[in-house]
Every structure is written in C-alpha cells, then in structure tokens.
Amino acid sequence: GDYLVAYSRYNNNNIFDEIIDMIKDKTLNEKEIIEQDKYYMFKASKCFKDFFDLMQEEKDFDDFLEFIKANVKIILNKEDDFTSAEQVFANLNANKVALTNAYLIKGLLLTKATRRNVNGYSKKHFKEIMDERAIMGRLWDEIYSWFNQKDVSTFFFATKENGMEKLLELVYDIYYTNDNTENEIIKKFENNFKVKELSHIINNDYELFNRFHNSIRTEEKAFVCLNQIKHTYKLLRSWYEQPEFYNLIGYNQFTIKYKDVKEKQKRFYGNIRNLMNKSNIELLKQLKDNVIKAILIKQGESLGYENKNKTHQLLLALSVFPEHEDNTKEKRFRFDFYSFSEENWTLEHIFPQNPNTEKITIESEIDREWVRKKIEERINKKDTTTVEKQKLNDTINKVINGEEINSSDIGFIFSEVVNPHDLGNMALLSIRVNPALSNSFFNGKRVKILKKINEGNFVPKHTIDLFSKMLSPLKIEENNLIIDKKLDSTLTTWTNTDIDFHKHWILNRLQEIIKLLN
C-alpha cells in the first residue's frame, strides 16, 4: 500500500511491506537478517504484532484502538528542503538525557499530579499547570540532588550512585508493595519475553518505573505519592543531620559483615526499611539496643585478632561514641562514616606480628632508626657472643641501606610482645591509604598517622588517642589495692604494659558506653 512516510535508505519505498512479509514468513530465522535497520524494524514490528494479537484474543483490541485515536499525538519534526539528513539526525539526538527510572517516575508523577482538579473545579489553565509543575520540579530536584551525594547514598544504601532510585524503591516498598493493579494482558504480554532455558523474565532496567506506572493510576494518587516521597526525604534527612541518630544508624550500618557489594546493599537497605514507621522514641530505643547488643561481651567470648568481627565492632564503638567531659559535646559529635568506609579502616596490630616470611624490608626511615637502636641494645648485652655481634652488625648495615633482611634476624624484637593478637594490641588502621602502615613498628605508624591528621585527613578518634598515647588513666584493682594506671609516657614504643592497659581501658570504656546508651 501507499505509506505516508518514505524511507529513503532503500530505492523502493515498500520497505515496510518487506518487513511485514518477513513477519509473515514463519521459516525466517531473525539471525539471518544482515541489515541492522531491518533487523530492529523487524523486532519492533514483531513486538507490536504479538501485542495486537493478544489484544484481539482478549477482545480488547477495539477499545485499545479508540484509546490510541483519542489520546496519542505524533510530533512531526518538519525540516526545509535545504537541511541534510545528517543535520536532522544530529538535532534530534544531541544533548540527550538518559531516561533512568528516576527521570521517568518524575515525569509520571509531575504530569499527573498537576492535572488533578481541586474541590471539583473545572480544568486548570495550562499556565497554572506549568507553574505548579515548576514548584514540584524544584522540590524533586532538591531531593534528587541530596540523595545523589556520595556520602548520603553510601550512608543509607551502600552505593555512591542512584541514591534517588533507592529512595523511590523505599517509597514504593512502604506504600505500594501490596497495591497490585497490574493489567492481566500486560502480564501475559511480558510472558512472551521469557527465556525458556533460564525460565525467568529478562531483567528490565525500568522495572521500578513500571511498578510506579501500574500503581499510580489517578491524578490524586500521583499527588499523594509526591507527598510520600517528600515525607520520606524529610525523615531520612532529619536522621542524617542529627548527630545522635546519624551516629547510631551509621554504627549499625557500618559494622555489618557481608559477602559482596550486592549483599551489602541489600543489608543496608533492609536496615533502613526496618527503621521506618517508628516514633523517634521507639527508633532511638531500637538503635541503642542494637549497639549494646553489638558491644556486649559474652562470658568466655574470645577477643582480639582471633575474633575479628567482634573486635572491629568494639573498636569502632570507641570512635563513634567517644568519651567527653560534658554531655553537650557528646550530642554534637559526628563520626565521618563516609571517610571511614572509603579509606578502609580495618582491624590491624599496633605492634606488628612476626610476618613469618623469610625476607622483609623495613620501608620507613623512622622504623629503620628504631630497629637499629634495638639491635644495638642487643649487641651491648653481656650474653651476646662475638659471632652474634658480627651478624647483628651486618643486619644493622642492611636495615640502614633499606636492603632485605631475614625476619628471623630481628625475631627477638617481634618476640618482645607476648601475644600480638591480644585485644590490647588492636587498632583501626587505614591500609588503603598506606599499605606499608600495617607492617610498620609503633613509632613509624604513629608518625604517619600524625602526618595524616596534620594534612586534615580523617582518622578515627580512638586511633588518634592511641598513637598519641592520650588515653585517660584508669583505676585498676590489683591484690585488693586500687592502682592508678596509664600508658607508658615513651611515645616511640608500644610494650606489653601498654597492651595490658589498653585492653583494660577498652573494656572499661565499653561499660561506660553501655551505661550512656541505657
């Protein structure tokens, strides 16, 4: 037949007839279609045909045609005779914005919500609709901008991108999960896309939009939905901006252990979902109970490097809920969970464990100097033989020159600490920032951490206090006597005495945190 649209790529204008013939040909294997445009035209036309066939089966085809005639408009881009096809293509395809779920849902809600009639009045004037859309659009952009900040979306959803989509998923989950209004014909049509071998529907990038589209059928519902999005945004933002809520929620989020990123995102989302629809009093109680449960030590529970997860939880609590002289500071303190996560602050030994490798190189100049002094002390011992002295002097030369040495050559230094895996020898250190840090000796670590602080970088508070040896003194009962104990004042070393004190300090401080939360 004659077509209103001519397709100039091929000489004949009956390209559309050719596509129809291809659809009718039951023996045609679509993989044999070589031309890209014909292939996609065939796929699209086949999809239309399947849908129309289904509509006719269900006897809804005539109604559907009436709907198309009444509601669908075609935009015609008309160009003059002097405009090239390439220019038309460039004009239509330049400055495209990817149609993500968030953009599509925004279009759906703003289009519908602004067309609702208030108090039974007649239709609004077009300018009135556009003004209302502009106001709603500004609020949407504010929400979109806030949730797409990396620190915000990481805090709530463990992702640096698509924070707005996660918020919309949350809103749908809370208000519309049971609102199953999906058309039966659409469900049947979707079944055409099932992959028989995999027996599930191909993953749809716009599944979230489709869910909203199925649920938001009326103008009034769209208006209500926008208010639900606004309410959820205000609630989550209030949690984020109040240090008490922020620290409690963050602690619960960032002490989760997970197999992979997908599981982490699922757990973060699940945590936030579980906190919704609670009063502030109920919410605070639940969050505090969760923290107490995480830091409560069971009788006979092993602590230290052997129980990494628990020890990590304990040490993080010391930085998220630090000691303050007065309560007002405590309520204002805000831990930086984003930097903590980004820089990968993980459980490490303060005094390094013996690497148990044949060869090691001491990277830090500060450590080389400290090791040299320790070897000299060994040389000057009365019971050190001449042969041992010679070997130790060789080791000093290698250390100073930054050469490899056998770890066994300085084994006596590592063996000074009785139990390197003890709770008192554990700290949160950032391996991502400096991989050499974990194998440095105490003074080398201390200098690097202080340098990091001076450069304005984030360091957990407990780690700062530890390496500057500023942990507050303790009163410890020994042999029925109350003894004042504190860290050794020597800044360059970390000894068995320090480890013992630090362990007592941690356990004492955890009890204080539990009292504070109760």
Side-chain angles (χ1 to χ4, degrees), residues 372-421:
R372 181 183 68 76
K373 283 180 182 170
K374 296 297 285 181
I375 297 173
E376 282 176 356
E377 283 172 21
R378 182 81 171 190
I379 289 169
N380 294 331
K381 279 192 172 182
K382 288 178 184 176
D383 56 350
T384 308
T385 65
T386 310
V387 175
E388 284 172 340
K389 284 180 182 179
Q390 183 57 49
K391 195 178 176 187
L392 289 167
N393 276 313
D394 289 346
T395 304
I396 285 177
N397 291 331
K398 284 180 182 173
V399 167
I400 288 169
N401 294 329
E403 294 171 30
E404 273 189 339
I405 59 167
N406 295 323
S407 61
S408 57
D409 292 345
I410 57 166
F412 63 92
I413 296 178
F414 290 113
S415 62
E416 280 183 10
V417 166
V418 177
N419 178 12
H421 299 323

Side-chain angles (χ1 to χ4, degrees), residues 407-465:
S407 61
S408 57
D409 292 345
I410 57 166
F412 63 92
I413 296 178
F414 290 113
S415 62
E416 280 183 10
V417 166
V418 177
N419 178 12
H421 299 323
D422 190 275
L423 174 64
N425 194 39
M426 294 291 114
L428 292 172
L429 296 174
S430 174
I431 302 313
R432 183 167 170 180
V433 172
N434 193 339
L437 194 61
S438 64
N439 294 321
S440 297
F441 290 96
F442 178 77
N443 198 36
K445 287 184 173 120
R446 189 180 69 84
V447 170
K448 283 171 190 167
I449 285 164
L450 293 176
K451 186 182 175 205
K452 198 168 157 45
I453 297 164
N454 291 336
E455 288 169 354
N457 293 313
F458 164 81
V459 178
K461 188 176 186 311
H462 174 243
T463 305
I464 297 172
D465 291 345

Side-chain angles (χ1 to χ4, degrees), residues 124-371:
K124 296 176 191 169
H125 190 275
F126 180 69
K127 186 179 183 309
E128 197 182 346
I129 290 172
M130 294 309 287
D131 287 347
E132 206 175 326
R133 270 183 204 164
I135 293 163
M136 288 180 180
R138 278 196 292 275
L139 175 64
W140 182 283
D141 292 343
E142 178 194 318
I143 298 170
Y144 184 93
S145 171
W146 193 74
F147 272 102
N148 278 3
Q149 291 176 77
K150 287 178 182 176
D151 50 346
V152 174
S153 56
T154 300
F155 181 81
F156 288 113
F157 306 119
T159 175
K160 288 190 207 170
E161 51 203 25
N162 298 330
M164 185 66 180
E165 286 199 18
K166 297 304 287 181
L167 167 72
L168 292 169
E169 193 180 324
L170 189 63
V171 169
Y172 187 87
D173 200 358
I174 295 165
Y175 296 104
Y176 299 100
T177 302
N178 300 319
D179 187 16
N180 191 6
T181 56
E182 192 171 358
N183 189 300
E184 284 301 315
I185 290 177
I186 300 299
K187 279 186 186 173
K188 285 183 181 178
F189 182 58
E190 276 183 349
N191 287 337
N192 292 337
F193 298 103
K194 273 194 178 176
V195 181
K196 282 174 185 147
E197 310 87 73
L198 300 175
S199 72
H200 67 268
I201 294 171
I202 291 169
N203 183 37
N204 182 355
D205 288 340
Y206 299 117
E207 188 184 341
L208 185 61
F209 166 70
N210 290 336
R211 284 190 211 162
F212 271 90
H213 191 256
N214 287 330
S215 293
I216 310 298
R217 293 289 182 183
T218 64
E219 287 85 355
E220 189 57 42
K221 246 187 168 182
F223 183 75
V224 169
C225 183
L226 281 168
N227 279 321
Q228 288 160 343
I229 291 168
K230 179 182 171 183
H231 167 73
T232 309
Y233 156 65
K234 295 276 187 195
L235 181 63
L236 266 57
R237 185 157 188 167
S238 75
W239 292 350
Y240 191 83
E241 289 176 353
Q242 291 177 64
E244 185 178 22
F245 281 94
Y246 173 83
N247 289 337
L248 287 165
I249 293 169
Y251 181 81
N252 281 293
Q253 295 283 66
F254 289 86
T255 51
I256 293 173
K257 292 297 155 199
Y258 48 86
K259 291 198 300 280
D260 52 35
V261 174
K262 274 195 173 176
E263 192 200 342
K264 181 182 183 183
Q265 289 173 354
K266 193 177 173 184
R267 296 279 295 279
F268 267 53
Y269 176 88
N271 277 0
I272 298 302
R273 174 69 185 91
N274 290 337
L275 298 178
M276 307 300 289
N277 305 327
K278 285 185 172 66
S279 70
N280 276 0
I281 294 168
E282 288 174 317
L283 183 62
L284 269 178
K285 186 180 183 318
Q286 184 182 324
L287 291 169
K288 287 177 177 181
D289 286 349
N290 289 350
V291 176
I292 291 168
K293 192 177 170 186
I295 64 176
L296 207 59
I297 298 162
K298 294 171 194 156
Q299 202 168 1
E301 188 172 15
S302 71
L303 299 171
Y305 202 65
E306 282 88 357
N307 193 351
K308 284 187 193 176
N309 289 358
K310 182 71 176 185
T311 304
H312 185 277
Q313 287 178 323
L314 302 182
L315 295 184
L316 180 57
L318 301 174
S319 286
V320 176
F321 312 105
E323 57 178 348
H324 291 292
E325 286 169 21
D326 62 274
N327 282 339
T328 51
K329 275 187 187 172
E330 212 157 76
K331 284 182 177 151
R332 286 198 304 266
F333 176 77
R334 184 185 179 83
F335 187 76
D336 185 351
F337 287 103
Y338 181 71
S339 296
F340 176 78
S341 163
E342 275 298 283
E343 296 183 8
N344 196 21
W345 289 87
T346 51
L347 190 67
E348 297 295 329
H349 298 80
I350 300 170
F351 189 96
Q353 59 179 325
N354 193 325
N356 293 324
T357 53
E358 271 189 40
K359 301 282 184 186
I360 58 168
T361 306
I362 296 165
E363 303 282 350
S364 158
E365 234 174 274
I366 294 153
D367 281 345
R368 286 178 203 163
E369 183 55 30
W370 185 78
V371 169

